Amino acid sequence: MAYQSHEFYLRRCIEISRQSRESGNTPFGALLVDESGEIVMEQGNIEITEKICTGHAETTLAARASHAFSKDYLWKCTLYTTAEPCAMCAGAIYWANIGRVVYGMTEKRLLELTGSDEQNPTFDLPCREVFARGQKPIQVIGPVPAVEEEAARVHQGYWNQ
């Protein structure tokens, strides 16, 4: 498969986030793309249905990927996600050795959507700041303006009910 645009992969993440919401979880989705452009793994949030407090899409995907692939392979991969990775997810991405992250909307925008909802006490901490404290030059691309509003729409009517 030839490498697609960031928008292509992020729109697939948005579909995964819809599926996550429909299955009873919070509306987030992520996927892993190898250096040739093939989607090798997809993941929605599982924290509610699986009762796992760390069940964010990115953390779960990073853990699964670290079991399935070598660190060298993962360094050449890109993790796409609907929303900027929180501090926990950024840490999981770092430790899994995934070399690039592309996200649709910022953590700050997510905080505007979730407000003070106790189900998602969103950080106001950009993933670039988390990665900057590490020893690996993880590349970060985002937000991607072409899909930012699409990513936010999946959250409408979900938070603070």
Side-chain angles (χ1 to χ4, degrees):
M1 175 176 176
Y3 209 88
Q4 301 291 322
S5 69
H6 293 318
E7 291 85 0
F8 173 86
Y9 296 113
L10 288 169
R11 286 192 173 105
R12 177 63 194 140
C13 288
I14 292 166
E15 182 56 35
I16 296 165
S17 72
R18 280 190 193 97
Q19 293 167 358
S20 181
R21 181 175 176 168
E22 289 167 4
S23 71
N25 286 294
T26 50
F28 298 93
L31 58 82
L32 188 68
V33 175
D34 70 12
E35 67 180 327
S36 73
E38 181 181 347
I39 297 172
V40 295
M41 198 169 280
E42 296 183 341
Q43 183 68 54
N45 269 31
I46 60 168
E47 81 284 7
I48 296 171
T49 57
E50 300 296 319
K51 295 184 169 72
I52 299 172
C53 66
T54 58
H56 292 189
E58 303 92 328
T59 295
T60 305
L61 186 142
R64 288 178 53 218
S66 72
H67 286 287
F69 305 109
S70 71
K71 286 189 177 284
D72 289 339
Y73 176 85
L74 289 173
W75 185 251
K76 298 172 188 165
C77 288
T78 302
L79 186 145
Y80 284 88
T81 181
T82 50
E84 180 175 8
C86 71
M88 174 185 70
C89 292
I93 291 164
Y94 178 87
W95 290 112
N97 208 48
I98 297 169
R100 183 165 71 159
V101 174
V102 179
Y103 63 85
M105 69 176 168
T106 64
E107 187 85 348
K108 189 174 279 304
R109 175 73 172 115
L110 178 62
L111 182 57
E112 291 170 4
L113 296 167
T114 62
S116 61
D117 193 304
E118 67 182 40
Q119 189 174 323
N120 195 44
T122 305
F123 280 94
D124 184 9
L125 177 61
C127 68
R128 284 176 175 89
E129 288 185 33
V130 176
F131 293 138
R133 301 287 192 253
Q135 299 178 45
K136 302 175 189 179
I138 296 172
Q139 182 184 13
V140 178
I141 298 169
V144 175
V147 300
E148 197 166 7
E149 284 308 310
E150 289 175 60
R153 269 197 297 277
V154 180
H155 294 263
Q156 288 178 343
Y158 185 87
W159 303 105
N160 298 301
Q161 293 188 28

